[in-house]
Amino acid sequence: MLVWEEVDLTFRPFPTSSHKDFRQWFSTQEQPPQICVVGSGPAGFYTAQHLLKHHPQAHVDIYEKQLVPFGLVRFGVAPDHPEVKNVINTFTQTARSARCAFRGNVVVGRDVAVPELQTAYHAVVLSYGAEDHRALEIPGEELPGVFSARAFVGWYNGLPENRELAPDLSCDTAVILGQGNVALDVARILLTPPEHLEKTDITEAALGVLRQSQVKTVWIVGRRGPLQVAFTIKELREMIQLPGTRPILDPADFLGLQDRIKEVPRPRKRLTELLLRTAIEKPGPEEAARQALASRAWGLRFFRSPQQVLSSPDGQRAAGIRLAVTRLEGVGEAARAVPTGDTEDLPCGLVLSSVGYKSCPIDPSVPFDPKLGVIPNMEGRVVDVPGLYCSGWVKRGPTGVIATTMTDSFATSQMLLQDLKAGLLPRGPRPGYAAIEALLSSRGVRPVSFSDWEKLDAEEVSRGKGAGKPREKLLDPQEMLRLLGR
């Protein structure tokens, strides 16, 4: 699961390449390469950044289906983690480069086909991420009160397609299925006192619903055990220290763990030790007093796998979830959860599925592995399609921290530059955006530029100022277009 964190943005060259040689060789080339990147999240921007830095003439167009840039930095990072969004400053510098252009409001695969991009550009990089969620595939999943964590995150972060989600938070108990960082983000937003969110960029609509929330208990459920949780220690610490809440951990889940963690890697060891202390050690007087006053609680349920969403007596909404009790086969990260045959019913009025994001195929011409949810590739080169590349989640699957996405995107752009130098990409002139602009115009599509985004950005900041917020996000694409005089 994705973790957004501050990282050192200095690029360290791969040992096999000399960037000085690259730049000297490229500076002698007459035809500036026209390169197209699809997707303006971290993978797209890091790919563009590296290409511009290491080719003195390259021009990069970044296509984005939303009217606004930055992908999951804008729509995925929790509103109470503003420091993580500082990377937007770096992306803005890239977008303002004279050799870079943002083309928002263009849906590749619908408004323009990938083969059309390939004809117009010397190379095309697909960096469009994971736009869907993995289904639970259990009975009752379609009941009102059941949402994907992806949609819930999109709702409180102002993703236009999720603005009308309207989750009903009038229940006492919520269950989150999955034990990654997104699951903890969602639990934290559900339980954080609303006054602590008022100065963030959470949408006013979401804040209004959270102010009326009756949710008092959140269970975070995983198929495996404490040694296999996918969240990181930073997110766990935030949950443990969350004002007005107390943790519920069953000491029985941690029996024998003290000896087994001696061999595990250090990050996993530190995380498990914190879980152990929280579950087993008696809190000090100050912490005990804080927990005694807590009106809300969160807990981790291990060795449980969702089997069925249970409905209310009238069949109109979710009223609980049936969990299969599991046991582990194997050890460590590779351990598998196997049903024991026992089940347990957990009453709740809200079920949030956080079992992973999923990439989708973008165009019939592009190979796609539906089982792995990635574009088949060799080090970022799309298999059997010369001149087509991929980076980020659609390249390797929806895992890793922001540093992983950065390194991964740099690696893909490195392959592209090597292929360019080796003469493996088209040598003649390519029209680039001029050809695509004509196509889009004939189809009634009006792209949004980065300067257009900066107008919307200024409007958001202005709207947020009155409430003491960094911004009040615009949610309606039609309103955005009106503000741009469209």
Side-chain angles (χ1 to χ4, degrees):
M1 199 46 68
L2 181 70
V3 186
W4 296 103
E5 58 183 29
E6 287 301 298
V7 294
D8 176 7
L9 295 176
T10 307
F11 176 66
R12 291 167 179 79
F14 294 89
T16 55
S17 60
S18 165
H19 294 291
K20 188 178 178 185
D21 291 348
F22 261 149
R23 291 183 66 84
Q24 285 175 345
W25 184 85
F26 287 138
S27 65
T28 66
Q29 305 307 294
E30 289 180 15
Q31 166 65 24
Q34 301 288 323
I35 302 169
C36 154
V37 172
V38 179
S40 70
F45 264 108
Y46 281 133
T47 301
Q49 178 187 322
H50 188 264
L51 289 168
L52 294 167
K53 181 176 180 180
H54 296 288
H55 193 303
Q57 295 172 305
H59 184 94
V60 180
D61 287 320
I62 303 175
Y63 289 86
E64 168 59 56
K65 72 172 187 175
Q66 302 288 342
L67 274 79
V68 298
F70 311 132
L72 276 183
V73 181
R74 177 177 168 96
F75 297 123
V77 175
D80 56 348
H81 286 173
E83 71 288 348
V84 180
K85 303 183 191 192
N86 290 340
V87 72
I88 284 175
N89 299 330
T90 306
F91 297 163
T92 296
Q93 288 173 11
T94 299
R96 285 176 176 165
S97 162
R99 294 184 290 120
C100 184
F102 172 75
R103 317 288 183 188
N105 199 31
V106 178
V107 182
V108 174
R110 185 193 73 188
D111 299 334
V112 60
V114 171
E116 291 173 327
L117 294 173
Q118 290 174 280
T119 302
Y121 291 89
H122 291 93
V124 175
V125 187
L126 301 173
S127 308
Y128 61 87
E131 300 177 302
D132 203 357
H133 70 280
R134 294 191 184 280
L136 292 170
E137 297 178 346
I138 59 172
E141 188 174 7
E142 73 295 335
L143 283 166
V146 182
F147 302 95
S148 72
R150 183 190 183 281
F152 192 78
V153 169
W155 168 71
Y156 64 64
N157 271 333
L159 183 61
E161 69 194 58
N162 298 131
R163 70 186 188 277
E164 294 174 2
L165 195 73
D168 182 353
L169 305 185
S170 63
C171 59
D172 175 78
T173 303
V175 168
I176 302 170
L177 301 168
Q179 293 183 333
N181 279 322
V182 172
L184 262 59
D185 275 353
V186 169
R188 195 178 67 255
I189 295 298
L190 278 171
L191 294 174
T192 296
E195 59 270 21
H196 289 234
L197 296 172
E198 286 171 352
K199 303 304 180 189
T200 73
D201 68 358
I202 193 168
T203 69
E204 196 54 47
L207 195 53
V209 173
L210 289 166
R211 284 193 184 106
Q212 302 299 316
S213 172
Q214 301 298 308
V215 176
K216 295 288 184 284
T217 306
V218 176
W219 290 107
I220 305 159
V221 178
R223 290 176 298 121
R224 300 190 293 171
L227 276 176
Q228 289 81 31
V229 295
F231 52 74
T232 49
I233 194 165
K234 176 180 179 286
E235 277 66 25
L236 176 61
R237 273 202 204 98
E238 285 183 309
M239 286 304 297
I240 292 168
Q241 295 163 4
L242 194 61
T245 68
R246 60 186 177 85
I248 309 170
L249 297 177
D250 185 351
D253 288 333
F254 296 85
L255 289 174
L257 222 55
Q258 196 77 55
D259 297 327
R260 286 160 55 202
I261 61 173
K262 289 172 184 171
E263 288 84 41
V264 300
R266 188 168 179 269
R268 171 71 67 185
K269 185 180 179 186
R270 288 174 59 234
L271 172 64
T272 313
E273 284 172 343
L274 179 55
L275 278 170
L276 264 168
R277 286 198 301 275
T278 308
I280 292 167
E281 291 182 8
K282 192 176 176 183
E286 193 176 322
E287 178 63 12
R290 188 188 77 82
Q291 290 187 19
L293 293 171
S295 60
R296 296 178 174 188
W298 62 274
L300 294 167
R301 295 289 272 267
F302 299 106
F303 311 111
R304 300 289 185 273
S305 179
Q307 202 173 61
Q308 178 184 350
V309 179
L310 306 172
S311 72
S312 55
D314 61 6
Q316 294 302 300
R317 59 171 295 107
I321 187 154
R322 180 158 295 155
L323 302 168
V325 180
T326 62
R327 59 179 173 79
L328 292 185
E329 281 187 357
V331 293
E333 305 284 340
R336 287 176 59 247
V338 179
T340 62
D342 294 334
T343 62
E344 170 186 287
D345 290 352
L346 188 55
C348 63
L350 179 68
V351 177
L352 293 160
S353 162
S354 185
V355 294
Y357 285 44
K358 186 174 74 171
S359 294
C360 303
I362 193 170
D363 189 290
S365 69
V366 179
F368 190 78
D369 183 331
K371 189 175 179 188
L372 296 177
V374 297
I375 294 172
N377 68 91
M378 298 289 288
E379 297 181 280
R381 298 180 177 100
V382 175
V383 172
D384 298 330
V385 190
L388 191 61
Y389 302 82
C390 57
S391 67
W393 283 5
V394 78
K395 171 185 173 183
R396 69 176 193 277
T399 57
V401 299
I402 196 169
T404 323
T405 297
M406 180 181 69
T407 306
D408 166 278
S409 302
F410 287 174
T412 289
S413 55
Q414 192 70 7
M415 294 300 109
L416 192 161
L417 293 173
Q418 286 178 9
D419 290 351
L420 190 62
K421 186 176 179 183
L424 299 175
L425 298 179
R427 283 192 178 276
R430 288 285 165 116
Y433 183 61
I436 302 303
E437 184 178 27
L439 277 177
L440 294 174
S441 180
S442 71
R443 293 165 186 171
V445 179
R446 296 182 66 185
V448 167
S449 68
F450 199 76
S451 62
D452 286 334
W453 151 246
E454 291 184 309
K455 291 172 192 168
L456 298 175
D457 178 44
E459 176 67 20
E460 289 188 345
V461 171
S462 172
R463 291 186 182 190
K465 196 166 281 183
K469 299 175 69 173
R471 69 179 60 244
E472 185 58 52
K473 288 179 182 173
L474 295 162
L475 308 181
D476 182 355
Q478 294 308 314
E479 185 189 8
M480 294 185 210
L481 291 171
R482 279 198 304 276
L483 288 165
L484 295 173
R486 300 289 178 89

